Amino acid sequence: QGWASFIVEDYTDSYEFRMFKEEYLKYRHFLVPNSFVHVKIFVREGYPNRDTGKKGDPRMQFNNIQLLHDVMETYARKLTIQLNIDELQEEKIDVLQDIFRNHSGENKLNFVVYEMKEKIKLHMPSRKQKIRISQELLNALEEQQVLYKLN
């Protein structure tokens, strides 16, 4: 059924893993060099030694592997847009409306309009507009220099 030995790296360290049998068949297409992945692993008790009965080292069970860009769309529930009232212009609002229409979906959309001098924040959830959170939406917001937060 096959097996694989592979290394997963983050910003601070790297870890070597081995995957066998059904797990390998299920997740082998994610084992691509320089691929960004989200891995969910369960740590299980080690297998008992047949001679001594003593449990071996803990073992890893791969529960799920996803491409990192798919994780955001799966787990992000709402998007909060932060707007400084001093920088609000009709043109910017029109651009935001177009962006949200182009990315309509089922996720909640919230707005926080703030004013720095008086330190006032107004939280406004959108009741009608729902969006589909995706990397394309976030790219469009960043292009317009809009501050946002994913929840």
Side-chain angles (χ1 to χ4, degrees):
Q1 292 179 345
W3 68 280
S5 175
F6 58 97
I7 296 173
V8 176
E9 296 178 321
D10 64 9
Y11 292 112
T12 60
D13 216 339
S14 63
Y15 304 90
E16 184 173 349
F17 296 95
R18 288 180 183 79
M19 186 182 291
F20 304 93
K21 300 181 181 181
E22 293 87 18
E23 287 179 339
Y24 171 74
L25 293 174
K26 188 175 180 180
Y27 299 119
R28 67 183 176 197
H29 59 281
F30 290 105
L31 305 178
V32 178
N34 300 317
S35 180
F36 294 93
V37 293
H38 177 266
V39 181
K40 192 177 211 180
I41 298 175
F42 289 136
V43 178
R44 302 282 186 202
E45 286 185 342
Y47 292 113
N49 183 308
R50 290 181 184 163
D51 298 330
T52 64
K54 196 173 167 184
K55 293 199 189 236
D57 291 335
R59 59 190 172 92
M60 307 259 183
Q61 177 184 342
F62 291 85
N63 188 39
N64 192 20
I65 299 178
Q66 291 177 278
L67 292 174
L68 196 55
H69 75 273
D70 293 336
V71 172
M72 177 179 55
E73 294 181 25
T74 304
Y75 295 111
R77 292 172 288 173
K78 71 179 175 183
L79 177 71
T80 300
I81 303 296
Q82 301 172 9
L83 301 167
N84 185 338
I85 199 161
D86 295 329
E87 297 173 5
L88 277 183
Q89 300 167 352
E90 188 173 342
E91 180 182 315
K92 187 168 190 167
I93 292 170
D94 292 340
V95 169
L96 285 175
Q97 282 181 325
D98 288 341
I99 289 172
F100 298 144
R101 275 191 214 107
N102 291 335
H103 294 88
S104 130
E106 297 301 316
N107 298 108
K108 293 180 181 179
L109 177 62
N110 291 333
F111 295 92
V112 174
V113 180
Y114 62 92
E115 195 274 334
M116 294 299 287
K117 292 175 191 166
E118 301 293 325
K119 297 182 183 178
I120 297 172
K121 276 189 182 181
L122 179 61
H123 297 268
M124 301 183 309
S126 176
R127 291 191 180 107
K128 293 182 181 180
Q129 181 70 51
K130 299 235 181 208
I131 53 164
R132 183 180 58 81
I133 298 172
S134 66
Q135 190 60 52
E136 293 81 21
L137 169 62
L138 300 183
N139 290 344
L141 293 173
E142 287 172 7
E143 187 178 300
Q144 295 299 317
Q145 299 179 341
V146 174
L147 298 175
Y148 63 86
K149 178 180 173 187
L150 288 173
N151 304 87

